[in-house]
Amino acid sequence: MAKEIIIADHAGFCFGVKRAVEIAVNQQTSDQSNTYTLGPLIHNNDVINRLKEQNILPITEAQLGELGSKDSIVIRSHGVAPDIWEQIEKTGAQLVDATCPYVSSIQKKVRKYRDLGYQIIIVGDAKHPEVIGINGWCDNSAIITKDGSNLGELPSKVCIVSQTTERLANYDKVVEIVSRRCEDVQTFNTICKATSDRQSSADEVSKKVDLMIVIGGKNSSNSKKLYDICSKNCKNSIFIENSKELSADIFHENRIEKVGITAGASTPDWVIEDVVKKSREFLAI
């Protein structure tokens, strides 16, 4: 069998993440103020370190009170709740909104339907910053679930949305459960197409290879889901942040001939290219 590397058709930076990085960099180069991001701009340490080299530094919510009129604060693509906006505005700092437009759309939906008297259900991870932010737009009144298993008694009117990086199977399961129990169910599949495309591509490639490499930040929700998908299809699936975590032993001990590579939405091209280059070296092709 000829040795081969297959790169998933959909891998790496998504629109929202790329946009957020560009906004932060442009803000730093065009303004004399200090530029900060509320939390790590994206879930990728390589990118965060490059931004730090350009004096774009992450801060926590607890540090917002230290901001002043000479500072700029970038809201990352995950978005934030309205009360965080208010905190920033009180500091006098310039607020730069890099919320992904797809996330902004979800925020508007939950506010609208909350005001119309619907119980909001968010399919996703309760601890994920995107979900925390979305919940803030309905006064933190949403029910958050991964698969519907924790749903108790529900009112007759329910509106369902999803974290943009959630798996479609989880969203569909919740919709099915709620639809059987409630009279008026408004459903919005708000899973980003980039997420669906990445998951489909990863699923397809991982069925064809001896080793599947998933590149992404260890805290990246969408990257973890890619790994979950790949590991079900390929027993030799690994989850790495960059090429430094690749080992020749992985290739040689398992007699790898065909390698698949995919990457989460927060993984830049240069990190993917480094992994491809090192994989070629280990395969000797």
Side-chain angles (χ1 to χ4, degrees):
M1 181 188 296
K3 294 180 180 180
E4 182 182 8
I5 293 176
I6 304 173
I7 303 172
D9 289 337
H10 301 279
F13 266 3
C14 68
F15 160 74
V17 168
K18 182 179 180 182
R19 174 178 174 272
V21 172
E22 290 175 348
I23 286 174
V25 172
N26 289 339
Q27 178 65 26
Q28 174 65 6
T29 56
S30 64
D31 201 323
Q32 297 301 312
S33 63
N34 304 310
T35 301
Y36 302 96
T37 66
L38 183 53
L41 188 64
I42 64 174
H43 289 149
N44 186 283
N45 288 326
D46 293 290
V47 175
I48 297 304
N49 289 332
R50 283 205 176 189
L51 291 173
K52 286 179 179 178
E53 291 172 1
Q54 299 177 64
N55 293 317
I56 302 172
L57 307 175
I59 63 171
T60 65
E61 287 184 23
Q63 294 174 293
L64 287 177
E66 301 172 15
L67 295 175
S69 58
K70 294 183 179 180
D71 301 316
S72 293
I73 179 78
V74 180
I75 300 299
R76 56 187 174 175
S77 58
H78 297 311
V80 296
D83 64 307
I84 302 300
W85 280 74
E86 293 171 6
Q87 285 184 48
I88 295 172
E89 288 172 347
K90 289 177 181 177
T91 68
Q94 181 180 355
L95 192 154
V96 182
D97 185 17
T99 305
C100 174
Y102 298 121
V103 175
S104 296
S105 176
I106 303 172
Q107 294 172 345
K108 292 173 183 175
K109 279 184 173 65
V110 300
R111 168 164 280 187
K112 172 185 175 181
Y113 281 88
R114 185 283 313 269
D115 290 346
L116 290 172
Y118 287 78
Q119 169 63 59
I120 304 299
I121 294 179
I122 304 172
V123 184
D125 180 357
K127 296 182 180 179
H128 193 280
E130 178 189 314
V131 173
I132 293 171
I134 292 168
N135 195 14
W137 288 82
C138 58
D139 293 332
N140 298 309
S141 64
I143 297 171
I144 302 169
T145 183
K146 284 293 292 183
D147 56 11
S149 59
N150 63 323
L151 295 177
E153 187 175 346
L154 296 171
S156 60
K157 295 172 63 175
V158 173
C159 172
I160 305 173
V161 298
S162 177
Q163 181 178 333
T164 56
T165 54
E166 190 50 74
R167 294 189 66 176
L168 179 60
N170 290 340
Y171 170 79
D172 287 342
K173 188 181 296 184
V174 173
V175 170
E176 180 184 359
I177 292 171
V178 175
S179 296
R180 290 200 306 263
R181 295 165 54 180
C182 303
E183 295 176 11
D184 184 352
V185 183
Q186 300 296 318
T187 61
F188 298 96
N189 177 359
T190 51
I191 298 172
C192 178
K193 187 176 184 300
T195 295
S196 301
D197 288 343
R198 275 168 183 72
Q199 292 177 359
S200 297
S201 292
D203 182 57
E204 180 182 342
V205 173
S206 59
K207 291 174 180 176
K208 303 176 181 177
V209 297
D210 308 310
L211 170 66
M212 189 69 194
I213 302 173
V214 180
I215 315 166
K218 292 298 189 285
N219 294 322
S220 167
S221 173
N222 73 89
S223 298
K224 290 177 184 177
K225 290 183 178 71
L226 290 177
Y227 175 72
D228 289 342
I229 291 168
C230 293
S231 59
K232 290 177 181 178
N233 297 328
C234 177
K235 66 176 182 178
N236 293 318
S237 290
I238 59 173
F239 184 12
I240 63 174
E241 285 202 342
N242 53 48
S243 63
K244 295 176 183 177
E245 297 180 33
L246 269 186
S247 165
D249 294 340
I250 298 171
F251 291 76
H252 299 154
E253 290 177 2
N254 297 292
R255 299 181 179 179
I256 301 301
E257 299 284 339
K258 190 175 290 189
V259 176
I261 297 176
T262 189
S266 298
T267 307
D269 290 344
W270 81 80
V271 172
I272 300 174
E273 289 166 3
D274 284 346
V275 171
V276 172
K277 180 180 179 182
K278 201 163 188 178
S279 297
R280 288 188 181 280
E281 292 173 0
F282 290 148
L283 284 175
I285 60 174

